[in-house]
Amino acid sequence: EVQLLESGGGLVQPGGSLRLSCAASGFTFTSYAMSWVRQAPGKGLAWVSAISASGGSTYYADSVKGRFTISRDNSKNTLYLQMNSLRAEDTAVYYCAKDPSGITAHFDVWGQGTTVTVSS
Amino acid sequence: QSALTQPASVSGSPGQSITISCTGTSSDVGGYNYVSWYQQHPGKAPKLMIYDVSKRPSGVSNRFSGSKSGNTASLTISGLQAEDEADYYCSSYTDSGTLVVFGGGTKLTVL
């Protein structure tokens, strides 16, 4: 069964850091680009970051550029999102998603999400 | 404000058809055939329903169809069923530098 399982969410103070993980199974992880998509409480979906299959190319939304870092460990079939200098507006459910198109055109598999709350 | 514009809500009775629009620009919807649609039930992860404007992933009912004209894409659901009640989001590849843009979402109510 194709599956993505996020972890690492929690409560963090403004200015703090958090690292999210996404464990992939059931497909050849090394063949696919991956993305993080978030959803603030009661709001819509917002793309956050993407990484190529090899990990050699990374992309970020303007709202997180310079603060978040996406990476992957293909030997562990795991995707990461390092989040620094967190702000209240980063509060959201964070989903990892598999990108079969290779150019972030669409996402065919999503994790269940992990909740990040930034508050003092 | 979302990059793609969707109506906040639509409704229909069981058995009817509804259409949700998604309006962008020539940098996204109008310029590429990379529009996708997602269904999201409360508390659940999004589910891919349509990709590349009109393609259906395996397992998605043929009651769901997609199309595009100019800068506006559309999702049509025919033969509405109670389980179709959910939020629907469109998205598109964009050459603006963001890579992906989403619509604000449309809440579908089955009366």
Side-chain angles (χ1 to χ4, degrees):
Chain A
E1 179 189 5
V2 176
Q3 196 170 10
L4 297 172
L5 187 62
E6 302 96 336
S7 61
L11 174 63
V12 61
Q13 291 187 339
S17 298
L18 214 53
R19 188 177 85 154
L20 306 182
S21 299
C22 171
S25 60
F27 65 97
T28 305
F29 183 69
T30 55
S31 296
Y32 294 97
M34 299 290 294
S35 273
W36 288 97
V37 178
R38 69 185 180 184
Q39 186 169 34
K43 302 298 184 181
L45 302 172
W47 174 76
V48 173
S49 182
I51 187 168
S52 63
S54 67
S57 298
T58 57
Y59 310 87
Y60 299 93
D62 288 343
S63 59
V64 305
K65 201 172 294 183
R67 300 187 299 123
F68 290 11
T69 301
I70 191 172
S71 62
R72 63 192 296 162
D73 185 337
N74 283 346
S75 69
K76 296 182 178 179
N77 288 351
T78 303
L79 174 72
Y80 302 101
L81 185 68
Q82 177 67 43
M83 304 185 296
N84 298 331
S85 302
L86 282 162
R87 306 166 180 168
E89 54 264 36
D90 295 318
T91 293
V93 175
Y94 285 73
Y95 297 100
C96 63
K98 171 177 165 282
D99 169 16
S101 68
I103 57 168
T104 326
H106 64 274
F107 308 111
D108 64 346
V109 180
W110 296 65
Q112 87 291 346
T114 188
T115 301
V116 173
T117 303
V118 184
S119 175
S120 55
Chain B
Q1 189 173 358
S2 302
L4 304 180
T5 301
Q6 298 180 234
S9 63
V10 298
S11 63
S13 300
Q16 288 186 331
S17 295
I18 63 95
T19 297
I20 300 172
S21 62
C22 170
T23 301
T25 69
S26 58
S27 293
D28 38 68
V29 173
Y32 303 89
N33 289 325
Y34 293 137
V35 176
S36 53
W37 291 90
Y38 301 89
Q39 176 192 66
Q40 187 180 36
H41 288 108
K44 301 295 186 181
K47 175 186 176 183
L48 180 66
M49 305 302 286
I50 295 288
Y51 68 99
D52 293 354
V53 176
S54 60
K55 298 177 181 177
R56 270 190 315 275
S58 173
V60 172
S61 170
N62 60 10
R63 297 186 298 105
F64 291 83
S65 62
S67 62
K68 189 185 83 167
S69 177
N71 293 338
T72 299
S74 298
L75 173 71
T76 297
I77 308 174
S78 60
L80 268 181
Q81 299 179 0
E83 60 260 36
D84 298 333
E85 184 162 294
D87 292 326
Y88 291 85
Y89 294 90
C90 63
S91 78
S92 174
Y93 172 82
T94 176
D95 61 19
S96 68
T98 313
L99 281 194
V100 184
V101 288
F102 282 94
T106 298
K107 181 176 180 59
L108 169 62
T109 300
V110 180
L111 302 170

